[in-house]
Amino acid sequence: MRQTLIRLITASALAITLTSTAYAVAINDEMRTFASDMEQKHGFKSAYIIEKLKEAELKERTIELMDRQLKKTPWHVYKKRMITDKRKERGVKFYREYPNTLRRAEVKYGVTSEVIAAILGIETNYGDYVLKHSALDALATLSFHYPRRAAYFKGELEHLFVFSRKNGIDPADVLSSYAGAVGIPQFMPSNVSKYGVDFGGNGNMDLIGSKPDAIGSIAKYLKNHGWERNKPIAVKAYVRGNGYKKFLGKGIKPKYSVRDMERNGIRPSLWVDPSLKGALITLEKKRGSEYWIVFQNFYAITRYNHSINYAMAVTILSKHIEYGRR
């Protein structure tokens, strides 16, 4: 009897724990306004939007993960986590599975094929990672319970409804990252219609199930965000004196010529056109720092994900894939 009671108490405690971070979204005036706007802008029935929002669960874990993004991970920790031997090997294998598609994307959009593969590797393990979050839960949570970026996520929630209707699917069935990014390339819903392409040629653009479509869409995204054909991404640099310090903390948008940086004690580890414009960044090693000159293509990668660590991981992983496939 006593053991049965203990099991019941334990089960009850577990149930409370499991439900304390995920519960139904309570409909409020802000949501009703959103539903009304969806009816006026896109012809949805307001009642349908409200009904779907009632189905959504408020995910406290999503909010925790969003707040965690604000804490910068040191480069040496991030690098160890993202650039693994397994990811390098899988990248080479992925390239050999889709060589013609990757090269065709490079020819059409000018984006280095290994960079496309590297982005897919970091985003969804080359399309093999199974997404586990509900896009509706994630975007409803962030739209109505995350004031810091609520306006942005309301826009993405709007696009999720439009995307779902266009494809004849229930928005509650769309799987995503914890922040609502969908499909193999992890596009936010608004970017699916902007940059998604039918690169497989079957007449249907499918970023959830088609790796060729994901390849072409990433290439189109980077091109539209300023990628420059046959130009470098980043080069490691060495510094001396104090002149280099005036280039630090100036952002990552290219502003200064390599020639000007060289005159101030910044030496690229490889030759690059002295007239190219770049920016100087520093990355935190286990001990000390390392310096890089980053160019327009690095900046374009940060339009995919604003993290400098992310863009550097893509850059380095792409080089491993290039060397491995050759």
Side-chain angles (χ1 to χ4, degrees):
M1 179 69 180
R2 184 171 180 273
Q3 289 181 340
T4 302
L5 182 59
I6 290 172
R7 284 198 296 268
L8 286 171
I9 292 171
T10 302
S12 298
L14 178 61
I16 291 169
T17 301
L18 291 173
T19 57
S20 63
T21 57
Y23 42 87
V25 172
I27 302 301
N28 57 31
D29 289 342
E30 188 180 6
M31 295 174 188
R32 292 188 183 92
T33 299
F34 174 82
S36 178
D37 290 343
M38 290 294 289
E39 184 166 344
Q40 293 176 24
K41 290 171 67 175
H42 301 290
F44 284 95
K45 293 292 185 183
S46 178
Y48 168 78
I49 300 296
I50 291 293
E51 193 58 37
K52 285 298 161 189
L53 291 179
K54 283 181 181 178
E55 291 180 23
E57 291 184 347
L58 193 160
K59 299 287 188 179
E60 291 184 353
R61 178 63 174 163
T62 294
I63 295 172
E64 290 172 12
L65 291 170
M66 289 298 295
D67 285 339
R68 188 181 296 177
Q69 283 186 339
L70 300 175
K71 299 175 183 177
K72 187 178 177 182
T73 303
W75 164 242
H76 65 92
V77 175
Y78 188 90
K79 180 181 179 182
K80 186 176 181 180
R81 183 189 305 156
M82 304 306 288
I83 307 174
T84 62
D85 288 342
K86 189 173 182 179
R87 188 167 270 145
K88 295 174 198 174
E89 293 163 6
R90 181 68 185 91
V92 174
K93 182 181 177 183
F94 179 81
Y95 200 102
R96 289 171 178 165
E97 288 171 350
Y98 295 94
N100 295 333
T101 307
L102 286 161
R103 289 172 193 150
R104 185 160 53 89
E106 181 167 351
V107 169
K108 181 169 183 177
Y109 296 105
V111 179
T112 307
S113 54
E114 292 87 357
V115 168
I116 300 169
I119 286 177
L120 281 169
I122 290 176
E123 291 293 347
T124 54
N125 193 30
Y126 308 99
D128 293 341
Y129 177 74
V130 178
L131 298 168
K132 301 173 183 176
H133 301 269
S134 159
L136 181 62
D137 290 350
L139 294 174
T141 295
L142 295 170
S143 294
F144 304 110
H145 299 276
Y146 195 64
R148 188 172 69 85
R149 297 187 65 193
Y152 168 76
F153 284 109
K154 278 181 192 172
E156 296 302 330
L157 181 61
E158 173 184 342
H159 282 282
L160 174 66
F161 277 109
V162 174
F163 164 80
S164 300
R165 180 175 65 182
K166 182 178 179 181
N167 289 276
I169 55 179
D170 188 333
D173 292 338
V174 178
L175 297 178
S176 73
S177 71
Y178 68 85
V182 301
I184 297 170
Q186 286 292 269
F187 277 7
M188 294 304 290
S190 62
N191 288 330
V192 174
S193 58
K194 289 180 190 174
Y195 308 111
V197 294
D198 169 25
F199 211 62
N202 64 356
N204 178 41
M205 185 270 290
D206 175 18
L207 297 187
I208 294 174
S210 170
K211 291 178 183 179
D213 288 0
I215 288 169
S217 299
I218 289 172
K220 180 180 179 181
Y221 185 100
L222 291 177
K223 180 188 176 184
N224 284 28
H225 285 81
W227 183 276
E228 296 178 340
R229 186 187 295 266
N230 297 326
K231 293 292 178 67
I233 304 171
V235 60
K236 198 169 185 178
Y238 302 96
V239 300
R240 64 185 180 189
N242 292 311
Y244 75 92
K245 293 180 181 177
K246 68 181 180 181
F247 295 94
L248 292 174
K250 304 295 184 181
I252 57 172
K253 201 161 187 179
K255 299 175 185 175
Y256 311 102
S257 71
V258 172
R259 181 180 292 109
D260 190 22
M261 286 191 269
E262 286 179 319
R263 287 170 180 162
N264 285 273
I266 302 167
R267 180 171 61 86
S269 60
L270 299 170
W271 184 88
V272 287
D273 183 345
S275 67
L276 274 179
K277 287 190 175 181
L280 184 67
I281 65 169
T282 179
L283 298 173
E284 187 179 345
K285 298 195 297 183
K286 210 165 189 177
R287 292 183 180 86
S289 300
E290 59 185 68
Y291 299 88
W292 290 75
I293 300 173
V294 297
F295 303 100
Q296 174 59 34
N297 288 343
F298 187 90
Y299 183 74
I301 296 171
T302 65
R303 300 308 90 195
Y304 202 98
N305 182 312
H306 289 191
S307 164
I308 289 175
N309 283 349
Y310 175 92
M312 188 55 68
V314 167
T315 302
I316 293 174
L317 180 59
S318 72
K319 287 299 179 184
H320 283 293
I321 294 171
E322 179 184 353
Y323 299 148
R325 75 176 183 80
R326 288 181 178 179

